[in-house]
Each structure stands twice: as structure tokens, then as C-alpha cells.
Amino acid sequence: LFPYDDAEALQIGHYGVAEKYEMHPDSDPRNDVARPATLITYLNDVEEGGETLFPLGNRSACTMQWRQDDVGNQRFGIQNCCDRRELLRIAAKKGRAVLFFNHDTMGQLDYLSEHAACQVKRGEKWIAQRWFRFEPYQRLVHPRDPRFDGLPLVPLQPAQLGAPKRPRVVSQKSPSIYLIEELLSASECQALVDLMQQL
């Protein structure tokens, strides 16, 4: 879908209990960060919370401000939206990936692609993120490192080598959002988490 040279380095993220990431776009062309697409892969099952939230047309209720909820409690930013059922939420499930486009087909920034990471209520959350650029990015060449290159070094079982995963369309409207179940196997996810815990 995207040339390898257009991808930024893989980034692994970790969220503990009560950690979240407020509403944000992944692309900012005015500051030379033009990322037409984002791929987030969940490396573990989260016991509770930790969803990726796309407010789509309801963005104003989710921005970084203090607001009063329905029962009178003061809540900040994304905490106002993570429990709302009418908003698009992608649950963190081991191996699941969400691919979304930050620009429309004309290359214009799509503000509806703004998203957030809801707070983890129980457990922890590990993700692998990959951002794709419009053109080759950095073109850095690093010496081969067996700790990272070719990861994960986990033997695949014949059942895991089945047909290619087909994305499920979650949003055909702006922005285009696709869900891919089991993009990574459980052992591949665990290998990445284990590696990060060793660093």
C-alpha cells in the first residue's frame, strides 16, 4: 500500500492505568509532518479501557477543556467522550490493527481523522505505531541488529500462514478507517512487548 521508504520508524507505546492521549491529528503539514496514513497495531488485550477514539463530527465535546458531565463531575478532555457509545471506538485487542487516512484524496488534511487514546482503566496497553509520509522519509540505513531486524524471531505455525487478512471497513465516510484482525500473531505481539521490556 505504501512504499517502505515512506514509512517512519516503528514506534512502540505503553500506557499504564489512568494513562491516555488527548485528541490529536497525526499529520501537520505546516510543520513538515505530512503523514497521509497511520497504522496502529495493538500488542495486547486491555482488561478495561484503552480504546482508540474517533469523535468524527463530535470533536468539540472531546477537546482539552474542563467540562461538567451528566452527573455534575468535572472531567478533562477525552474523558468526556470515552464512555459515549455513539462515537467510534476501536477496542485494543492483541494483533488487531487500525489503518486510517489523515488526508483526503486531494491531499488536504482531514480534520475528522483526529483521534485519542482513552485511558486504561484496568491492565496495561501496548501498541506499535507506524506513520507513512507522502515521500521518502530520512532514508537512514542502520547496521543490521538481530534484536530488532527481522522481528519477531518467532516460528509461525502452519495455521498462522493462512490466507491474507482482509481489512474490514469501519468508516467509509471521512476519514477512511479500516480494521484488520490478527495483523500480528499473539507470539509476534508478545515478542515485541518482551523486547521493549528488556530495554
Side-chain angles (χ1 to χ4, degrees):
L1 187 60
F2 296 96
Y4 183 77
D5 282 352
D6 292 1
E8 293 182 30
L10 184 68
Q11 182 183 71
I12 306 293
H14 177 259
Y15 297 80
V17 171
E19 291 184 322
K20 60 184 173 56
Y21 202 96
E22 292 290 340
M23 287 284 302
H24 64 283
D26 279 351
S27 190
D28 185 5
R30 288 177 289 177
N31 290 303
D32 198 30
V33 182
R35 298 168 169 157
T38 299
L39 178 70
I40 299 172
T41 305
Y42 305 100
L43 302 178
N44 71 310
D45 293 324
V46 178
E47 291 178 51
E48 185 179 0
E51 299 92 346
T52 301
L53 176 97
F54 293 89
L56 303 175
N58 299 300
R59 179 186 175 280
S60 62
C62 307
T63 56
M64 290 187 282
Q65 296 177 2
W66 285 99
R67 292 186 180 78
Q68 198 167 17
D69 68 13
D70 296 339
V71 294
N73 297 319
Q74 288 291 320
R75 299 178 84 183
F76 185 78
I78 198 62
Q79 290 178 321
N80 293 296
C81 294
C82 285
D83 294 326
R84 293 176 53 184
R85 299 287 176 215
E86 75 273 15
L87 302 180
L88 178 58
R89 295 177 303 152
I90 308 293
K93 179 181 173 195
K94 185 186 288 187
R96 174 182 281 169
V98 60
L99 171 69
F100 57 95
F101 293 89
N102 303 303
H103 292 257
D104 63 21
T105 56
M106 299 303 291
Q108 298 299 309
L109 186 61
D110 185 347
Y111 291 98
L112 294 178
S113 68
E114 287 189 4
H115 57 286
C118 294
Q119 76 176 27
V120 173
K121 295 178 181 177
R122 285 190 304 127
E124 63 181 346
K125 174 180 164 183
W126 287 91
I127 60 171
Q129 302 173 93
R130 197 84 191 250
W131 295 286
F132 299 91
R133 299 280 185 135
F134 279 112
E135 56 191 32
Y137 182 71
Q138 293 186 334
R139 295 189 180 176
L140 299 176
V141 178
H142 299 282
R144 188 159 176 76
D145 185 334
R147 295 175 304 158
F148 304 101
D149 294 324
L151 264 183
L153 300 174
V154 177
L156 292 176
Q157 302 302 317
Q160 294 172 310
L161 299 174
K165 307 298 187 252
R166 290 213 153 297
R168 180 170 55 114
V169 177
V170 178
S171 172
Q172 289 182 331
K173 297 179 181 177
S174 172
S176 296
I177 302 171
Y178 302 90
L179 195 66
I180 307 158
E181 298 291 350
E182 299 175 354
L183 179 69
L184 295 179
S185 70
S187 55
E188 289 171 320
C189 292
Q190 191 59 52
L192 287 169
V193 171
D194 290 346
L195 175 68
M196 296 312 297
Q197 289 175 330
Q198 294 171 15
L199 296 179

